[in-house]
Amino acid sequence: MRTGDTPFHLLFNPEDGLCPDRKSTKRHLSDVKHIFYNTKKTEQVLKDGDPLVYEFYELSMPHHEGDLAFGTSITYPGTIGDEYFMTKGHFHSILETAEVYYCLRGKGMLMLEHSDGRWESEVFEPGHAVYVPKGYAHRSINTGDGPLVTFFCFRADAGHDYKTIESKGFRYLVVERNGVPTPMENPNWKSY
Ligand code: MN
């Protein structure tokens, strides 16, 4: 019997977002160093260590169109220069699939970008449910002082396309300007 074929439950701690019975996927700075626009700052930070930037759960749910994939994502607080710690971000391999994120703890943003040029940033605060329409790449950004914990759910066969964002970047980044999280055009962005 595969996970997902029978009813089950899992505990996700609402304080730290962690699931004690499952192993998370961790992304340290060295794994995601190309996502930050200030490459010099990134190298400087890496000289002093390799901080954990985020972790999330992939529960090896069945990958059929009628199944759901879910889990938590925890983005840790920190900055590279004026840019906040964030996830790599991705499109779904099946572009016509949406997703919903529910913020349990912390403060941040979800950056959303469509290949037709539309983009949007939504605020994450505890209690906020953010809808990612089909066709939008999405990235979590921690603009607060503690962990940003969200719970997500999407169609299990959607798949992740990380490559498109890896090669192009997001059109807008979020940087700190006078203490305020502010979208900024990505100087390294490559058009579709
Ligand atoms: Mn997704």
Side-chain angles (χ1 to χ4, degrees):
M1 198 68 76
R2 297 165 318 191
T3 308
D5 282 345
T6 52
F8 70 100
H9 75 272
L10 286 171
L11 173 74
F12 290 96
N13 185 327
E15 291 303 314
D16 58 17
L18 299 175
C19 176
D21 299 322
R22 299 298 177 101
K23 200 173 174 336
S24 69
T25 302
K26 293 185 167 66
R27 299 282 182 244
H28 289 85
L29 182 59
S30 60
D31 302 317
V32 296
K33 60 181 188 176
H34 301 296
I35 68 178
F36 298 99
Y37 82 93
N38 191 334
T39 48
K40 265 193 194 140
K41 274 277 178 207
T42 307
E43 291 305 333
Q44 272 176 27
V45 173
L46 278 170
K47 274 185 191 140
D48 298 326
D50 192 7
L52 180 59
V53 178
Y54 65 98
E55 60 186 306
F56 60 102
Y57 289 91
E58 303 170 289
L59 302 174
S60 51
M61 298 295 286
H63 289 187
H64 301 126
E65 120 181 62
D67 294 310
L68 292 173
F70 66 91
T72 50
S73 166
I74 304 112
T75 308
Y76 291 99
T79 51
I80 300 293
D82 56 9
E83 189 171 22
Y84 303 96
F85 275 15
M86 58 186 174
T87 63
K88 279 163 90 165
H90 59 268
F91 285 96
H92 291 164
S93 305
I94 302 176
L95 276 170
E96 302 75 30
T97 54
E99 182 161 359
V100 66
Y101 281 81
Y102 183 68
C103 182
L104 292 162
R105 187 181 167 199
K107 190 160 174 48
M109 291 168 118
L110 191 71
M111 179 57 75
L112 299 132
E113 175 175 321
H114 196 285
S115 59
D116 68 7
R118 284 178 291 166
W119 69 279
E120 201 76 55
S121 62
E122 290 285 344
V123 169
F124 271 145
E125 281 175 0
H128 282 211
V130 177
Y131 188 70
V132 181
K134 54 196 177 184
Y136 277 84
H138 38 288
R139 152 182 288 170
S140 299
I141 302 166
N142 186 338
T143 61
D145 301 325
L148 171 66
V149 180
T150 59
F151 180 88
F152 58 82
C153 187
F154 61 97
R155 206 176 96 179
D157 63 334
H160 290 98
D161 165 18
Y162 291 105
K163 288 227 159 64
T164 304
I165 291 299
E166 256 166 36
S167 60
K168 308 160 44 50
F170 273 76
R171 193 173 191 143
Y172 280 83
L173 307 171
V174 177
V175 293
E176 185 177 290
R177 291 282 179 268
N178 304 314
V180 181
T182 308
M184 176 189 93
E185 270 191 69
N186 180 356
N188 306 318
W189 183 72
K190 298 179 187 72
S191 69
Y192 288 92

